[in-house]
Amino acid sequence: MKRTILIFGLLAGTVLILFELSRLSLWRRESTSEVFIIISGLSFIAVGFLLSRFLAREEKRTKSGNLNDSDLTKQEHRVLTLVAEGMSNSEIAEELFITESTVKTHVSNVLLKLNARRRTEAVKIGRDLEII
């Protein structure tokens, strides 16, 4: 947050300096101040857009830092992927050649590791963390 405030403060200071330089310039016209206003507005929009994308990427990294791919076993990851495809426990058991009880255990482990209450919530969290 401090970095964002600092960047916007520096940008605002730069814009003020540009206004002062345009006022002292020999190439002074009535429309130059309008050009500087447009340029400063566009630069604020561009910096805001880039900062929001950068901060969103950082936030995603910190979220994914809470759960590594190593936290879910391969089998749990496969089960989560099949749950995301909309398969039931019995269909998952058939697909992976395991018992339905084992599928329930894997689903429980996935819910616990992702801190989810339901299968749909686990799928959403998995997609947010880009593990499925």
Side-chain angles (χ1 to χ4, degrees), residues 62-73:
T62 56
K63 276 186 180 178
S64 64
N66 296 338
L67 179 78
N68 297 327
D69 287 333
S70 61
D71 289 346
L72 289 180
T73 65

Side-chain angles (χ1 to χ4, degrees), residues 26-104:
L26 296 175
W27 183 62
R28 187 172 173 191
R29 293 184 185 164
E30 295 300 318
S31 63
T32 45
S33 63
E34 293 171 1
V35 171
F36 280 116
I37 290 172
I38 291 170
I39 290 172
S40 64
L42 290 175
S43 61
F44 271 103
I45 290 170
V47 168
F49 177 74
L50 293 173
L51 276 177
S52 67
R53 291 196 70 191
F54 175 75
L55 293 174
R57 197 175 299 145
E58 286 295 318
E59 182 180 326
K60 192 179 270 189
R61 274 192 206 138
T62 56
K63 276 186 180 178
S64 64
N66 296 338
L67 179 78
N68 297 327
D69 287 333
S70 61
D71 289 346
L72 289 180
T73 65
K74 283 184 181 181
Q75 195 74 338
E76 289 168 349
H77 188 266
R78 280 187 232 143
V79 167
L80 180 60
T81 303
L82 294 174
V83 167
E85 291 176 10
M87 293 180 133
S88 67
N89 286 350
S90 58
E91 291 171 332
I92 294 171
E94 259 181 55
E95 180 78 23
L96 298 178
F97 304 107
I98 56 177
T99 65
E100 197 170 337
S101 174
T102 305
V103 173
K104 289 178 184 179

